Amino acid sequence: MRLRALLDTDALGLKLLGGEEELDRTVRGVMTTDLRDPSRYLSGGELVLSGLAWRRDAADSEPFVRILVGAGVAALAAGEAELGPVPEDLVAACARHRLPLFAVNESVAFATITEHVVRQVSGERAGDLAAVVERHRRMMTAGPAGGGPDVVLDLLGSDLDLRAWLLSPTGRLIAGPRAAGPALAPDVCARLAAEHLSAARTGRRGPHRVALGPTTYSLFPIRGGGRSAQAPQAAQDVRETVLSDWLLAVEADAGEWPDERLDLLQGVTQLIAVERDRREAARTVRRRLAQEVLELVQAGAPPTEIAARLRVAAPVLLPGLGAAPHWQVVVASVEWDDGQGGGGRIAQSLLEEMLVETSPGSSGGGQHGTGPEPSDRMAVAHTDDEAVALVPLPAVSTEHDGSETGILADALLESVRDPLSAGLDGDGRLTLGVSATVHSAEGLRGALEEARHARRVAAARPGRVCAAGHQELASHVLLLPFVPDDVRRAFTARLLDPLREYDRRHRAELIPTLEAFLDCDGSWTRCATRLHLHVNTLRYRVGRIEQLTGRDLSRLEDKLDFFLALRMS
């Protein structure tokens, strides 16, 4: 298609700022970027869309335009939604280099322009397959006519006789064909994700072909931000993106396809990439909530202030919840073998994916319903070195029975260990720590430190992907001087709070009974005499202590834990 055709389409909201004599240039693709140097992703002929986040001052425009011209792009379209009118220095730089420049009205989304260009270019390339691309556009529509990625996969099957599935980098099935036929088994999903990560990490271009038994699959990367699936990536960019990219797994050998069909599939991946970016943008509010709570907790803010933020977060993360939920903290870190930092953003993306798998009510499969994704029920913040997830749990019974609720460390890794181990092999490690459930803002600081300490325990283990939970923070570890005070307090609260709450509600005096029982070395007779109780009454109280805490006072280890908790309280 020609640049001139873009101006003839009023719905695109484009205004020509310069380069009228170059409007007969051919557009062969589209790319959205805010990188200062996007040349590695450009192959020539693209319409480049940019929100100008790369521009810090007027001096930045000249080198950016020079890079685009050197890569042979067709034109630049600058958005006005974030920074207002296009700066004059950028207009002048484009004029000097004869690069056509458009302004994109703030009311028009880049996704609209991307969809239009992909549809037109793919239609020209694929000839009579243009109708297929046009039908794929339905994935971008809202309301009853649309259907998301599932519609695309259904159309691939009905129009091209291709069975395909959309997978996350951890092997989670995001979408699949809804027509009759065998589903893609979880172990096959994991294998395909592992093969995709291994290939992408080494810089191999997609599609990647994988043979599993008699079946051959072709894997097409789905990259966000308008990045081309064919563009080579530098090592650091692979780290920052590959572990968060989706993939389209097609049951076919793409090595035997004509160019027209490959072009069509590449157009489909660009459309799905728009949907991926939309879902990524939808996480912004939840991430911001998590970031605000994390900053308050780390700054030692009063519990009342933290509780106020949690009350704001609860309706967003658990719509319709009648009361404030309980919370759990999960900490993740990606550490590179070469010692380079900055793995927090990758850890954030991976942690969000893993929590989708293990969140309460998640089936771990494709989202065919109309409700929100399971990922809508947690918020993950990140620093430079780690990611911190704030996971809400529906309020549990106040009658503490010692049962486990919420996220378990082993469950986090159950389905993702193999794919992520392949993706990190020879390059880095992912370690996670999981806190116990806390029931109020007062416990959140301790839960954060507990999760961080559990992550350090996981980091001491071999393997590319490791996790540890609060259950593994044995009491004797708490005696070590490097363990933070917040972890000690969290341990004490987890063990004694159920007893304190029960005493408050029932005036049962379980805490004094526990202290006396330990002072008497577990002697029923001496303890009953000291407390002026019948032995059967004492046995009832001790039984209640064991029931509420899940501990056994006949075991030396549990006696020691109670002894330490009482001394540290």
Side-chain angles (χ1 to χ4, degrees):
M1 67 177 298
R2 305 286 183 181
L3 284 175
R4 192 178 306 278
L6 297 174
L7 285 175
D8 294 336
T9 307
D10 294 337
L12 299 183
L14 295 177
K15 176 183 177 183
L16 184 65
L17 300 181
E20 183 175 3
E21 66 282 2
E22 304 290 338
L23 290 181
D24 285 328
R25 290 187 182 185
T26 299
V27 179
R28 292 194 291 270
V30 63
M31 175 189 177
T32 301
T33 185
D34 278 311
L35 295 174
R36 296 172 68 86
D37 181 3
S39 58
R40 64 173 67 91
Y41 305 125
L42 298 169
S43 56
E46 294 93 345
L47 170 67
V48 174
L49 306 174
S50 178
L52 307 186
W54 50 266
R55 182 184 177 277
R56 298 172 183 170
D57 54 47
D60 291 333
S61 294
E62 174 69 20
F64 182 77
V65 171
R66 193 183 307 120
I67 288 170
L68 297 188
V69 172
V73 306
L76 170 65
E80 297 180 328
E82 294 293 332
L83 303 179
V86 178
E88 288 297 326
D89 50 273
L90 181 59
V91 176
C94 288
R96 282 193 297 272
H97 293 277
R98 302 178 63 85
L99 179 67
L101 175 64
F102 300 94
V104 182
N105 189 278
E106 63 180 6
S107 64
V108 178
F110 282 177
T112 301
I113 301 173
T114 298
E115 177 195 350
H116 178 82
V117 173
V118 168
R119 188 167 69 250
Q120 295 298 320
V121 171
S122 296
E124 292 171 3
R125 289 178 179 174
D128 58 352
L129 292 177
V132 179
V133 178
E134 171 60 25
R135 293 180 67 189
H136 289 158
R137 185 186 61 81
R138 287 167 50 191
M139 72 162 287
M140 302 301 298
T141 63
D150 304 86
V151 170
V152 175
L153 304 184
D154 286 344
L155 293 174
L156 284 176
S158 62
D159 289 40
L160 299 180
D161 197 26
L162 291 175
R163 298 184 70 225
W165 298 265
L166 188 60
L167 307 177
S168 78
T170 64
R172 177 173 64 92
L173 182 61
I174 298 171
R178 294 173 293 187
L184 200 62
D187 62 323
V188 175
C189 292
R191 286 282 303 279
L192 294 177
E195 293 288 344
H196 160 71
L197 289 175
S198 295
R201 184 177 55 81
T202 56
R204 286 161 45 197
R205 291 171 178 253
H208 314 305
R209 287 176 288 167
V210 179
L212 298 181
T215 306
T216 298
Y217 298 90
S218 296
L219 310 180
F220 293 81
I222 307 290
R223 292 176 180 159
R227 291 177 292 120
S228 167
Q230 296 286 350
Q233 292 176 293
Q236 185 60 27
D237 292 319
V238 169
R239 287 175 169 178
E240 292 178 354
T241 60
V242 167
L243 287 169
S244 61
D245 287 340
W246 289 356
L247 66 141
L248 182 67
V250 181
E251 192 179 80
D253 187 348
E256 302 174 351
W257 287 358
D259 291 342
E260 290 81 3
R261 179 163 287 201
L262 282 172
D263 287 342
L264 175 65
L265 263 292
Q266 293 297 348
V268 170
T269 63
Q270 290 188 44
L271 287 175
I272 297 178
V274 175
E275 169 70 6
R276 179 193 178 281
D277 289 343
R278 183 192 66 78
R279 296 192 185 187
E280 182 76 7
R283 292 179 174 178
T284 302
V285 172
R286 299 189 298 277
R287 287 173 173 174
R288 185 166 63 247
L289 284 171
Q291 197 72 41
E292 292 173 355
V293 174
L294 177 61
E295 290 172 359
L296 289 174
V297 170
Q298 293 190 135
T304 53
E305 186 176 355
I306 298 174
R309 295 306 303 160
L310 292 178
R311 283 194 294 272
V312 172
V316 176
L317 303 179
L318 286 178
L321 190 68
H326 296 169
W327 300 92
Q328 201 167 7
V329 176
V330 183
V331 171
S333 177
V334 172
E335 298 169 321
W336 305 114
D337 290 354
D338 60 10
Q340 193 165 11
R345 188 179 298 276
I346 298 175
Q348 179 187 47
S349 178
L350 292 177
L351 190 51
E352 286 172 335
E353 278 298 328
M354 285 184 283
L355 290 173
V356 170
E357 295 279 359
T358 57
S359 63
S362 171
S363 62
Q367 303 304 315
H368 299 304
T370 58
E373 288 192 310
S375 59
D376 291 339
R377 295 195 293 267
M378 76 278 301
V380 184
H382 78 87
T383 63
D384 187 55
D385 297 320
E386 69 177 7
V388 179
L390 189 65
V391 183
L393 304 170
V396 298
S397 170
T398 56
E399 293 286 348
H400 301 269
D401 58 3
S403 61
E404 289 293 341
T405 59
I407 302 298
L408 301 179
D410 290 342
L412 274 177
L413 301 186
E414 185 174 350
S415 61
V416 303
R417 190 188 302 273
D418 289 344
L420 293 185
S421 294
L424 292 166
D425 186 37
D427 194 27
R429 300 185 69 216
L430 171 68
T431 54
L432 304 103
V434 183
S435 79
T437 303
V438 295
H439 313 134
S440 64
E442 289 84 347
L444 212 53
R445 176 67 180 271
L448 175 61
E449 293 301 331
E450 186 175 58
R452 283 174 169 165
H453 187 60
R455 192 207 63 79
R456 289 193 290 269
V457 171
R461 297 170 175 168
R464 290 288 170 183
V465 181
C466 299
H470 64 91
Q471 306 93 332
E472 300 176 66
L473 302 183
S475 57
H476 65 275
V477 177
L478 300 174
L479 299 175
L480 299 178
F482 67 82
V483 178
D485 288 341
D486 284 324
V487 177
R488 302 176 192 237
R489 284 193 290 269
F491 170 79
T492 301
R494 186 168 66 251
L495 201 57
L496 299 184
D497 276 2
L499 306 183
R500 290 169 176 154
E501 174 67 13
Y502 192 87
D503 281 348
R504 183 186 66 79
R505 295 177 58 201
H506 301 285
R507 299 181 180 179
E509 298 188 352
L510 295 185
I511 291 291
T513 300
L514 175 62
E515 291 175 329
F517 188 74
L518 295 176
D519 286 345
C520 293
D521 298 324
S523 169
W524 297 99
T525 304
R526 287 166 50 200
C527 183
T529 300
R530 174 183 293 191
L531 295 175
H532 306 290
L533 297 175
H534 191 279
V535 171
N536 288 344
T537 302
L538 176 61
R539 290 187 185 277
Y540 172 81
R541 289 188 183 180
V542 170
R544 176 62 69 179
I545 291 171
E546 293 175 335
Q547 180 185 14
L548 292 172
T549 61
R551 301 300 186 107
D552 183 351
L553 278 167
S554 67
R555 286 168 38 90
L556 177 61
E557 295 90 340
D558 289 343
K559 288 180 182 178
L560 178 59
D561 283 354
F562 279 122
F563 175 82
L564 292 171
L566 289 168
R567 290 299 181 273
M568 291 188 294
S569 63

